[in-house]
């Protein structure tokens, strides 16, 4: 079980910090999406999360349909450090006259100044390019297919091949696809399946690191309106109370149902965080802290009843009538991530076992970007003569989140 100091730091994190922490613990990668007008704010917030919470260096890749492989390889590199010159002896050059009275016989050079007066020269050592610890791929879904495949190889092998060298990712490495709402549906299927979790950030939740850095909500609101277009989001600092939505068929993306802490975390730590300074508002996690949490996650146990519950959820997702044929994204890789995330969440809650509520929280993070909704023409009841208009009405507005909520309601959790 994690010590109290580490647990208190975990309970003080925001949702975006928790998403990054879970990925670093599991050595996996994630998708973060938001509304289009808040995308620039989200990128800046994630950069601050990397630097302030985890002390990691980040790089932003702004993807467009014209992005090339060379653009990608250059953008993920850290800027070269400022070289420190050092003096090295210069090779002997032509002899120059000296003003010293001591001269060699028959020459114009001195015994003490036989070479040029400038015997040293400055040299700047060159360092090989390094990949950033955190890569923020903005609008990755807009990149060409070959660029997305190169990103897939970078995530899978933790290295990238350029025209002149092979660059290896650092030990602490996180690749984040920052997308607009619904952008994950346009990713290459194999790349999409490789992402560990997905998180939708509501602009109404605000951007805590940006607001703290700019001196609070009021200053942040004025700053984003007057200084820079990259921080232009009319609703980024609005904070409201979050309640369950009763609309159907899609579930609400409210904070009460879609954050990483979930109901379990609220029960474990009901106190709210009232930051008074950057150090207290945003706890810092070292590499040893992440390694400790990773070890605790590997030691978490899962009872056979909870494992059966997890597998039942997977089966019901795969067989749901709204899910596309062939599993619709409910893949073996997703099953591995599902079980792994459940154990990581247990470690973050100070538990050495997985509870059904943590399984229910994990499924909401692993599958939303994976599940594909079937088209009305391919819905399975059409094979037995269902009316197309009736099927279209049935599937209208159905989303991956709605499918997950419906499956959780159908599958009975163990006591």
């Amino acid at each position: 079980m994690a010590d109290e100091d580490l647990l208190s730091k975990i309970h003080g994190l925001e949702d975006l910090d928790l998403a990054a922490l879970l990925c670093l613990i599991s050595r996996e990668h994630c998708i973060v999406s938001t509304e289009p007008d808040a995308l620039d704010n989200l990128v800046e917030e994630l950069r601050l999360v990397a630097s302030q919470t985890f002390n990691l260096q980040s790089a932003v890749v702004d993807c467009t349909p014209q992005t090339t492989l060379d653009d990608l390889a250059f953008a993920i590199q850290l800027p070269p450090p400022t070289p420190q010159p050092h003096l090295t002896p210069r090779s002997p050059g032509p002899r120059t006259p000296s003003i010293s009275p001591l001269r060699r016989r028959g020459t114009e050079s001195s015994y003490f100044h036989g070479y040029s007066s400038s015997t040293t020269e400055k040299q700047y050592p060159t360092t090989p390019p390094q990949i950033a610890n955190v890569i923020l791929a903005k609008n990755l879904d807009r990149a060409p297919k070959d660029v997305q495949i190169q990103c897939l190889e970078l995530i899978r092998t933790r290295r990238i091949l350029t025209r002149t060298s092979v660059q290896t990712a650092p030990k602490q490495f996180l690749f984040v696809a920052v997308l607009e709402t619904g952008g994950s549906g346009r990713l290459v299927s194999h790349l999409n399946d490789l992402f560990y979790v997905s998180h939708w950030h509501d602009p109404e939740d605000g951007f805590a690191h940006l607001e703290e850095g700019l001196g609070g909500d009021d200053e942040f609101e004025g700053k984003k309106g007057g200084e820079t277009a990259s921080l232009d989001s009319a609703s980024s600092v609005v904070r409201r109370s979050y309640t369950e939505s009763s609309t159907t068929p899609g579930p609400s993306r409210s904070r009460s149902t879609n954050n990483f802490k979930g109901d379990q975390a609220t029960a474990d730590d009901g106190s709210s965080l009232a930051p008074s300074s950057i150090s207290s508002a945003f706890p810092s996690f070292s590499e040893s802290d992440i390694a400790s949490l990773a070890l605790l996650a590997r030691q978490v146990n899962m009872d056979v009843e909870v494992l059966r519950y997890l597998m039942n959820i997977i089966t019901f997702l795969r067989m749901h009538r709204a899910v596309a044929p062939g599993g619709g994204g409910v893949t073996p890789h997703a099953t591995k991530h599902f079980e792994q995330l459940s154990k990581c969440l247990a470690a973050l809650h100070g538990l050495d076992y997985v509870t059904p509520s943590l399984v229910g929280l994990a499924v909401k993070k692993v599958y939303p970007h994976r599940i594909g909704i079937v088209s009305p023409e391919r819905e399975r009841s059409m094979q037995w003569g269902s009316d197309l208009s009736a099927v279209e009405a049935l599937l209208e507005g159905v989303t991956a989140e709605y499918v997950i909520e419906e499956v959780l309601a159908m599958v009975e959790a163990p006591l």
Side-chain angles (χ1 to χ4, degrees):
M1 180 180 296
D3 57 69
E4 292 299 326
D5 292 338
L6 192 54
L7 288 176
S8 64
K9 290 198 296 184
I10 293 171
H11 291 158
L13 294 177
E14 297 290 330
D15 284 349
L16 292 174
D17 302 76
L18 279 171
L21 178 60
L22 284 167
C23 292
L24 290 172
I25 291 173
S26 304
R27 295 173 64 86
E28 298 288 352
H29 313 274
C30 66
I31 296 174
V32 181
S33 56
T34 189
E35 299 295 343
D37 58 352
L39 196 64
D40 291 326
N41 281 351
L42 180 59
V43 171
E44 294 300 321
E45 177 74 4
L46 289 171
R47 296 193 69 177
L48 293 175
V49 167
S51 60
Q52 295 180 359
T53 305
F54 302 103
N55 195 27
L56 299 176
Q57 295 178 297
S58 60
V60 178
V61 183
D62 195 352
C63 299
T64 65
Q66 289 74 40
T67 301
T68 64
L69 296 177
D70 291 337
D71 295 335
L72 174 67
F74 178 78
I76 65 176
Q77 297 177 10
L78 292 173
T82 303
Q84 298 294 330
H86 64 273
L87 300 178
T88 58
R90 177 179 291 179
S91 58
R95 298 178 184 274
T96 56
S98 172
I99 61 174
S100 171
L102 300 176
R103 302 180 183 277
R104 295 181 182 180
R105 182 176 300 175
T107 66
E108 294 295 326
S109 61
S110 166
Y111 285 107
F112 304 105
H113 301 279
Y115 299 112
S116 172
S117 59
S118 178
T119 60
T120 59
E121 61 181 357
K122 293 182 180 180
Q123 287 189 356
Y124 294 88
T126 59
T127 58
Q130 295 181 345
I131 297 178
N133 299 96
V134 179
I135 297 176
L136 306 176
K138 179 182 174 184
N139 293 319
L140 181 60
D141 55 309
R142 299 181 183 177
K145 186 176 180 179
D146 57 343
V147 173
Q148 295 189 32
I149 292 175
Q150 184 78 326
C151 292
L152 185 152
E153 285 298 311
L154 174 61
I155 293 173
R156 191 179 64 87
T157 64
R158 301 176 72 90
R159 65 180 184 177
I160 187 171
L161 303 177
T162 65
R163 295 180 184 273
T164 58
S165 64
V166 178
Q167 300 177 24
T168 305
K171 182 179 179 181
Q172 296 291 334
F173 178 60
L174 173 60
F175 190 101
V176 183
V178 188
L179 310 178
E180 297 178 0
T181 304
S184 61
R186 296 185 293 272
L187 291 174
V188 174
S189 59
H190 292 84
L191 174 62
N192 186 66
D193 189 42
L194 212 58
F195 283 111
Y196 185 44
V197 295
S198 60
H199 176 68
W200 188 83
H201 184 75
D202 193 339
E204 294 183 355
D205 288 350
F207 300 92
H209 290 263
L210 278 176
E211 295 163 8
E212 186 72 20
L214 293 175
D217 291 1
D218 296 336
E219 186 174 344
F220 174 71
E221 188 173 0
K223 194 92 170 178
K224 70 185 178 65
E227 239 183 46
T228 172
S230 67
L231 300 178
D232 185 15
S233 173
S235 60
S236 61
V237 296
V238 180
R239 297 186 180 274
R240 302 176 182 173
S241 59
Y242 302 96
T243 57
E244 289 289 342
S245 173
S246 60
T247 59
T248 55
S252 170
R253 292 183 183 269
S254 63
R255 191 171 187 170
S256 61
T257 61
N258 202 44
N259 66 356
F260 277 94
K261 295 181 181 179
D263 299 335
Q264 179 74 21
T266 305
D268 291 343
D269 184 18
S271 60
S272 60
L273 185 67
S276 58
S277 64
I278 291 181
S279 60
S280 61
F282 309 114
S284 178
F285 285 80
S286 64
E287 187 174 342
S288 60
D289 291 334
I290 296 173
S292 299
L293 290 172
L295 178 61
L296 291 172
R298 290 193 295 268
Q299 295 172 348
V300 169
N301 299 311
M302 182 177 293
D303 186 78
V304 64
E305 294 293 332
V306 178
L307 181 59
R308 182 183 294 115
Y309 176 59
L310 183 147
M311 293 301 174
N312 286 340
I313 290 175
I314 296 171
T315 302
F316 274 69
L317 285 174
R318 186 181 294 271
M319 299 302 297
H320 195 281
R321 67 182 301 177
V323 175
V330 188
T331 62
H333 209 78
T335 302
K336 172 188 171 184
H337 285 168
F338 188 12
E339 183 176 355
Q340 186 177 7
L341 180 59
S342 300
K343 293 182 177 181
C344 288
L345 288 172
L348 263 59
H349 285 86
L351 302 174
D352 59 358
Y353 58 91
V354 178
T355 64
S357 61
L358 292 177
V359 173
L361 177 59
V363 70
K364 297 177 183 178
K365 292 299 165 185
V366 173
Y367 287 101
H369 67 285
R370 289 182 164 98
I371 292 178
I373 303 302
V374 67
S375 60
E377 295 80 7
R378 301 190 63 190
E379 198 271 333
R380 63 172 58 100
S381 69
M382 291 293 294
Q383 301 178 56
W384 302 292
S386 293
D387 185 68
L388 180 60
S389 60
V391 175
E392 289 176 345
L394 177 68
L395 296 177
E396 184 179 2
V398 173
T399 61
E401 290 84 358
Y402 173 72
V403 171
I404 293 171
E405 292 291 345
E406 191 171 50
V407 166
L408 288 175
M410 289 189 294
V411 180
E412 183 178 356
L415 296 178

